[in-house]
Amino acid sequence: MFDRLIEILKANPRKIVFTEGPDARILEAADRLKKGGFLTPLLIGVPEEVKAAAAKGGFDIEGLEIIDPATYPGMDEMVEKMVTLRKGKMTAEQCREALSKGNYFGTMLVKMGYADALLGGATYSTADTVRPALQLVKTKPGAHLVSSCFILVRGEEKLAMGDCAINISYEDTLDKEGNVVVSAADKLAEVAVETARCAQTFGIDPKVAMLSFSTKGSGKGGTVQLSRDATAKAKELAPDLAIDGEMQFDAAVSPVVGQLKFPGSKVAGYANTFIFPCIEAGNIGYKIAQRLGGYEAYGPILLGLNAPINDLSRGCNADEVYKMAIITAALV
């Protein structure tokens, strides 16, 4: 999978921002990327501190760009742009204060076209990576929410799972009069389609199962109706995709069980893209696959944003940073 992504990057030169330049894991990954020559790292931090940390770890970052927000010559222009983007919600002083931090500063570099993608979260929380992205880069046209997926790899086998990290649950969005503007099913359907499109980027031909504890009406209550309604809406959104549901996990992955419980379905028994009805199921599900199934899990990959911005686990290692950088940049 990574060989394929690297070939994409070799053909399309791109620059990725790392918001935590002095972190040893970031520096080791930047060293590897520099040696690879297919993706240009940009490090945020005080140059002397970043270089000292690199020297201590024995990492070669010679020639890589390091930007310190405190001395950035284009800060006034950046502040002005951010004030406009925030539409009166933040003063110039508040914007300048926010831009002194790597997460906001890096996001604005992407927004202003100086970089193509961003990877953060080695020391920042998920919220601190997602919030600037929502405020500045914003969701792409037609998107109603930001979601996430994980790509799971075991040998030649690849799966996609969403949303396992961002949306706790799906609720109707109402206007002031109480009318439904965007339904919960619309949102889950959007997650399904975005996850499937992301899966395609990684060479997966998505067969999308909308998961539940019910298969084709066998159960009631809980999130069954949500998964059922979202299936119908996802099919409308993306008639070119193979999407079916609602179905239980055994029906999704076992051809015998799938065709018994959901006869005639092109997905049941053959699913490789799994959509969970809430974050509890999704987070537990991908970690079971990772820890008991022996899959490598890459993500969370953020979906629905206007630019590729991804979040690292604070417990990540340098290899995970390296691979997530490749994944993030390939999404441009």
Side-chain angles (χ1 to χ4, degrees):
M1 182 177 80
F2 285 97
D3 289 343
R4 178 175 177 271
L5 298 179
I6 287 169
E7 288 305 312
I8 291 172
L9 294 174
K10 283 180 178 178
N12 300 274
R14 290 163 186 170
K15 182 184 294 185
I16 186 165
V17 176
F18 289 105
T19 58
E20 297 130 319
D23 189 282
R25 296 163 294 176
I26 301 297
L27 292 166
E28 184 175 342
D31 180 338
R32 287 182 67 185
L33 290 170
K34 179 193 168 185
K35 288 183 172 70
F38 54 82
L39 178 60
T40 303
L42 188 163
L43 304 168
I44 296 177
V46 178
E48 294 76 17
E49 292 178 3
V50 174
K51 290 175 182 178
K56 181 179 179 181
F59 307 124
D60 176 17
I61 60 167
E62 186 66 32
L64 295 186
E65 188 173 11
I66 305 169
I67 302 181
D68 181 1
T71 57
Y72 180 59
M75 181 58 78
D76 290 343
E77 179 189 357
M78 188 178 277
V79 169
E80 185 179 341
K81 177 71 173 176
M82 184 170 169
V83 169
T84 302
L85 289 168
R86 298 300 291 134
K87 297 178 179 178
K89 294 177 182 176
M90 292 176 73
T91 65
E93 185 178 338
Q94 289 170 327
C95 288
R96 193 175 295 274
E97 172 61 25
L99 289 167
S100 69
K101 300 177 177 66
N103 56 341
Y104 273 93
F105 182 77
T107 304
M108 277 300 293
L109 289 177
V110 174
K111 177 63 181 177
M112 297 176 76
Y114 193 80
D116 302 296
L118 178 146
L119 187 60
T123 57
Y124 288 113
S125 68
T126 296
D128 284 337
T129 300
V130 175
R131 189 183 305 109
L134 282 172
Q135 292 176 348
L136 304 175
V137 170
K138 304 184 180 181
T139 53
K140 62 187 180 184
H144 298 100
L145 77 169
V146 172
S147 60
S148 73
C149 76
F150 280 82
I151 301 297
L152 292 104
V153 181
R154 185 177 64 185
E156 295 300 312
E157 188 178 5
K158 291 177 285 190
L159 308 173
M161 294 186 175
D163 174 0
C164 308
I166 301 295
N167 294 286
I168 294 174
S169 62
Y170 301 93
E171 315 294 339
D172 293 342
T173 299
L174 309 176
D175 62 18
K176 293 179 181 178
E177 286 72 43
N179 302 307
V180 176
V181 178
V182 184
S183 73
D186 287 324
K187 295 176 182 178
L188 185 56
E190 195 173 303
V191 171
V193 173
E194 286 287 329
T195 300
R197 299 297 185 207
C198 184
Q200 289 174 325
T201 302
F202 299 101
I204 299 171
D205 179 17
K207 293 177 177 60
V208 185
M210 307 294 285
L211 296 177
S212 177
F213 60 85
S214 164
T215 300
K216 205 178 180 183
S218 66
K220 300 185 186 304
T223 57
V224 172
Q225 193 64 45
L226 169 65
S227 294
R228 188 176 303 153
D229 291 346
T231 301
K233 289 181 178 294
K235 288 180 176 181
E236 291 174 10
L237 277 175
D240 60 306
L241 293 174
I243 303 173
D244 230 335
E246 85 288 359
M247 68 180 75
Q248 293 157 287
F249 192 81
D250 58 348
V253 299
S254 166
V256 173
V257 176
Q259 293 307 307
L260 176 68
K261 291 186 173 184
F262 211 135
S265 170
K266 294 180 180 179
V267 173
Y270 306 99
N272 55 22
T273 302
F274 304 95
I275 307 303
F276 297 90
C278 61
I279 200 170
E280 287 97 336
N283 195 270
I284 292 167
Y286 100 80
K287 289 186 176 180
I288 288 174
Q290 181 185 31
R291 299 299 177 181
L292 298 185
Y295 285 86
E296 292 182 72
Y298 300 104
I301 300 167
L302 300 184
L303 308 174
L305 289 168
N306 259 322
I309 290 176
N310 277 325
D311 178 47
L312 293 162
S313 164
R314 279 176 281 182
C316 66
N317 59 40
D319 187 59
E320 289 168 331
V321 175
Y322 172 78
K323 289 176 177 175
M324 277 301 296
I326 294 171
I327 286 171
T328 304
L331 294 171
V332 175

